[in-house]
Amino acid sequence: MGLFGSHEKRDADRARRLFEEALAQQGPNVALVLRANDCLPLYITPNFERIFGVSPERIGDDIETLYRFIPDSDRIRMQRQVRDWDRATPLNLLCSYHAPHGEKSQLSMRFTISLISGGTQYLVSAVDVTTENERIAKADSERDRAVETANARTDYMNQMSHEIRTPLNGIEGMISLAREHHADESRLMDDLSRASQLSAYLLSLINDMLDMSRLNSGRVRIDGAPFDMRLFADEIERMFSSQAADKGLTYSVNLEDCENVFVVGDRMRLSQIVINFISNAVKFTERGGSVTVTLREMYQADGGVSYMLRVRDTGKGMDPRYVSKIFKPFEQEDRTIARRYGGTGLGMAITSALVELMDGEIVVDTEPGRGSTFSAYIPLRLATAAQIESLKLKEQTLETACDSIGSSFTYQFEDKRFLLAEDNEINAMIVIELLARRGAAVDRAENGQAVVERFRSMPAGTYDAILMDIQMPVLNGWEAAERIRGLNREDAGAIPIIALSANDYTEDVERSRAAGMNGHVGKPIDLNVLKAQLAAATAEAAYRGNE
């Protein structure tokens, strides 16, 4: 008996030692064995104090000490769950725990209580789920952001669908009315005028959409070329003077402290920024108000200069709390804005992205009923003496541009003969008809290869200019232009070639220039722009001929 008793004792001690080792190896987990009838702790893992910040002796004296560091709401809930526990299955409890000291002052704990040893003991395991909960919270936050992004994208597409369909519906309606009014010339012209306005709005909307898409994908490049800030200001003033006058607004553009007017930067994108500011200012300012544009040199350093482009209006203003949202697509202060004032809600988002690309900053000062001031601070480079001289030779300074601008509109289509490269029947018909009505003759080639062959087969001097579509079969417009420039004939290098393209981005214009073209006109074609480009190309050819 003694021998067997000794074996039983050794087996029990070994079993207890293995049990304690298993509990001790739980890592960050904590375990307690409690006597079931009075909850007296029989065993506590060594890591208890490190996790909970309370000594095992203190728990041994009063198990209720654990409850004191649990928030009231959690404690009451846990006590009710323990009271209602059926003891048949493990009980899981979640709570926050405010440790009096330790690595973390507040923990998220999961307690699991199981009945063991034939119902005489409780095994209580406690797991610190703080990190796990933080991961879950982070995942939830990322999910919420993803859902918000998806919802925003859906809202964006719904808004775009509405914005596109609205002018399309109007254009279709105006065309239908024009058919009805074909015998009434005044009403017919009014219908066509309204259709044209809607078409212009639709084009601006599509351009904004494409700009926004390119900006989001990182495909917009900020270029640098020398320009005269005075001429820039003059163009901005002329651009909005009629619109402001029609609305009864006082409109002015001022240059202040501008010692360095010849700068290097992306003039087109700078113009886009200021135009978006002015468009909003004119839109939200009632008759009798004012819109003031200020271009001011702020400081000069290290071959660069900082310019402030500011637009101040006396319009409706807005709640300053809303300012952080206006640079997001389609964000407007309230739902009545679009209905009352129009607009797509993309202009300011585009403006913000462009200013950021230029390493600039936008500052907004606004108050309901007291107007708004939008200021963009943009770093530019100073033009060199050689660049300034080049601007003068090209008549692109304030002093020389007046004659250049005026002469561009002296170009006449009458008695001119053009070679048109256009594969689209409708586009070709439109160009041929528009130029024919202005006294010009137009020969058409259906693709890039055909235009090269047509030009090669005709005597020198047959055509006054080539109007070249870009996206064509066989050879595209750029390839065709390069082939023409490479022909061994006297007019191959001198004939003006103007690109006609639906793509009118900076890189497209540059590629047209690199291919040997004299100009690049975007579609839909503005005849005044085409006329100006033809005039410039003709003057350039004449200048080279006299050299």
Side-chain angles (χ1 to χ4, degrees):
M1 290 291 293
L3 180 60
F4 287 113
S6 175
H7 279 300
E8 290 175 356
K9 184 175 186 303
R10 285 200 300 273
D11 288 345
D13 289 343
R14 183 170 179 273
R16 180 180 179 84
R17 187 172 64 256
L18 291 172
F19 175 71
E20 291 178 353
E21 288 176 357
L23 292 177
Q25 291 173 5
Q26 292 190 102
N29 301 346
V30 175
L32 300 87
V33 177
L34 307 179
R35 197 161 60 192
N37 60 352
D38 58 2
C39 291
L40 178 71
L42 301 177
Y43 178 79
I44 301 176
T45 50
N47 60 351
F48 180 88
E49 184 171 4
R50 180 175 61 83
I51 300 298
F52 286 98
V54 180
S55 67
E57 292 78 13
R58 188 174 175 185
I59 295 298
D61 293 337
D62 183 9
I63 192 66
E64 292 290 324
T65 299
L66 276 176
Y67 276 127
R68 294 172 189 166
F69 301 106
I70 296 174
D72 291 344
S73 58
D74 285 350
R75 182 171 65 250
I76 295 170
R77 173 180 52 78
M78 292 173 65
Q79 289 172 332
R80 183 175 64 252
Q81 288 177 285
V82 171
R83 185 180 64 245
D84 298 338
W85 179 36
D86 62 6
R87 272 48 174 192
T89 57
L91 174 64
N92 289 305
L93 304 170
L94 294 172
C95 70
S96 297
Y97 188 84
H98 299 288
H101 60 82
E103 296 177 4
K104 297 180 179 179
S105 61
Q106 181 169 342
L107 308 173
S108 295
M109 303 298 300
R110 181 173 65 238
F111 291 91
T112 301
I113 306 175
S114 304
L115 205 57
I116 61 174
S117 300
T120 62
Q121 297 174 355
Y122 293 127
L123 172 62
V124 181
S125 64
V127 180
D128 180 359
V129 294
T130 306
T131 302
E132 178 183 344
N133 284 355
E134 289 173 350
R135 284 199 298 266
I136 293 173
K138 182 179 179 181
D140 287 344
S141 176
E142 291 175 350
R143 179 204 62 205
D144 291 342
R145 282 199 300 271
V147 170
E148 183 180 352
T149 299
N151 290 338
R153 186 177 293 113
T154 300
D155 291 342
Y156 178 91
M157 295 308 298
N158 289 338
Q159 182 74 16
M160 288 313 310
S161 176
H162 174 268
E163 292 291 340
I164 290 173
R165 288 174 183 273
T166 297
L168 275 176
N169 181 67
I171 292 169
E172 187 67 27
M174 288 299 105
I175 292 173
S176 297
L177 288 175
R179 291 193 184 102
E180 296 289 334
H181 299 149
H182 69 277
D184 186 339
E185 185 176 352
S186 64
R187 297 192 67 178
L188 173 63
M189 295 307 296
D190 184 63
D191 294 338
L192 294 176
S193 176
R194 291 175 185 272
S196 179
Q197 291 170 2
L198 289 168
S199 177
Y201 169 77
L202 181 59
L203 179 62
S204 69
L205 171 63
I206 292 172
N207 286 337
D208 281 352
M209 288 174 58
L210 293 174
D211 265 349
M212 199 73 252
S213 174
R214 288 165 60 82
L215 283 163
N216 287 336
S217 63
R219 289 187 294 149
V220 172
R221 188 183 72 221
I222 299 299
D223 294 309
F227 66 94
D228 185 341
M229 187 62 78
R230 299 169 301 170
L231 188 58
F232 177 82
D234 184 64
E235 292 173 352
I236 291 294
E237 183 173 20
R238 287 187 287 106
M239 193 177 297
F240 285 92
S241 58
S242 295
Q243 184 180 348
D246 291 343
K247 197 174 179 182
L249 304 178
T250 301
Y251 174 68
S252 63
V253 179
N254 306 306
L255 285 165
E256 296 182 358
D257 304 324
C258 296
E259 295 181 8
N260 300 283
V261 295
F262 296 107
V263 295
V264 177
D266 195 324
R267 177 175 176 169
M268 184 187 76
R269 295 302 184 182
L270 284 172
S271 178
Q272 194 171 358
I273 290 167
V274 178
I275 286 171
N276 280 332
F277 284 164
I278 299 173
S279 295
N280 274 356
V282 172
K283 182 191 303 181
F284 295 119
T285 303
E286 300 299 331
R287 181 172 295 275
S290 65
V291 174
T292 305
V293 182
T294 302
L295 309 179
R296 176 184 294 163
E297 182 180 327
M298 302 303 292
Y299 60 85
Q300 177 185 341
D302 300 325
V305 61
S306 175
Y307 257 87
M308 177 192 73
L309 316 176
R310 184 180 68 197
V311 178
R312 176 174 293 163
D313 66 67
T314 59
K316 66 188 293 292
M318 60 183 165
D319 190 331
R321 293 175 298 180
Y322 182 75
V323 169
S324 62
K325 296 182 179 180
I326 64 176
F327 298 108
K328 297 179 180 179
F330 295 122
E331 289 284 351
Q332 292 177 318
E333 193 171 8
D334 62 66
R335 296 183 182 275
T336 67
I337 294 293
R339 292 195 299 270
R340 292 175 58 195
Y341 297 97
T344 65
L346 291 174
M348 282 302 174
I350 292 170
T351 299
S352 176
L354 290 176
V355 170
E356 185 176 346
L357 275 177
M358 293 180 177
D359 297 323
E361 180 184 8
I362 293 179
V363 176
V364 182
D365 182 17
T366 185
E367 186 177 340
R370 300 190 63 181
S372 302
T373 300
F374 284 79
S375 303
Y377 296 87
I378 307 291
L380 301 169
R381 299 196 308 277
L382 293 172
T384 63
Q387 288 173 323
I388 295 172
E389 187 60 29
S390 176
L391 287 176
K392 292 177 180 178
L393 291 174
K394 293 178 181 178
E395 299 183 326
Q396 293 177 0
T397 68
L398 185 66
E399 294 81 6
T400 61
C402 293
D403 291 339
S404 176
I405 292 172
S407 66
S408 69
F409 293 98
T410 64
Y411 187 90
Q412 298 298 323
F413 290 115
E414 190 175 2
D415 297 327
K416 297 293 194 301
R417 187 174 181 184
F418 297 99
L419 177 55
L420 171 67
E422 175 61 76
D423 63 313
N424 184 278
E425 292 288 342
I426 294 178
N427 288 344
M429 180 192 70
I430 291 171
V431 174
I432 292 171
E433 180 68 19
L434 287 174
L435 294 181
R437 292 180 65 85
R438 287 157 179 79
V442 181
D443 294 339
R444 179 195 171 198
E446 291 79 10
N447 58 62
Q449 182 64 43
V451 76
V452 175
E453 294 301 328
R454 185 63 179 262
F455 179 76
R456 190 205 312 263
S457 66
M458 302 299 284
T462 299
Y463 296 109
D464 294 282
I466 299 174
L467 307 179
M468 186 81 77
D469 183 31
I470 298 301
Q471 301 300 331
M472 293 185 295
V474 188
L475 288 179
N476 64 39
W478 294 312
E479 293 168 334
E482 289 173 345
R483 297 275 183 94
I484 290 172
R485 292 302 188 207
L487 293 175
N488 184 23
R489 50 183 287 166
E490 59 183 285
D491 58 345
I495 185 170
I497 304 177
I498 306 297
L500 306 180
S501 176
N503 294 336
D504 198 24
Y505 297 109
T506 301
E507 52 267 37
D508 299 309
V509 176
E510 289 179 351
R511 188 169 178 185
S512 295
R513 287 284 185 181
M517 300 195 198
N518 303 86
H520 187 109
V521 178
K523 294 179 179 178
I525 297 169
D526 184 328
L527 284 181
N528 284 329
V529 175
L530 177 59
K531 184 184 289 189
Q533 299 240 5
L534 286 167
T538 302
E540 182 180 2
Y543 176 77
R544 288 179 178 176
N546 292 328
E547 286 183 327

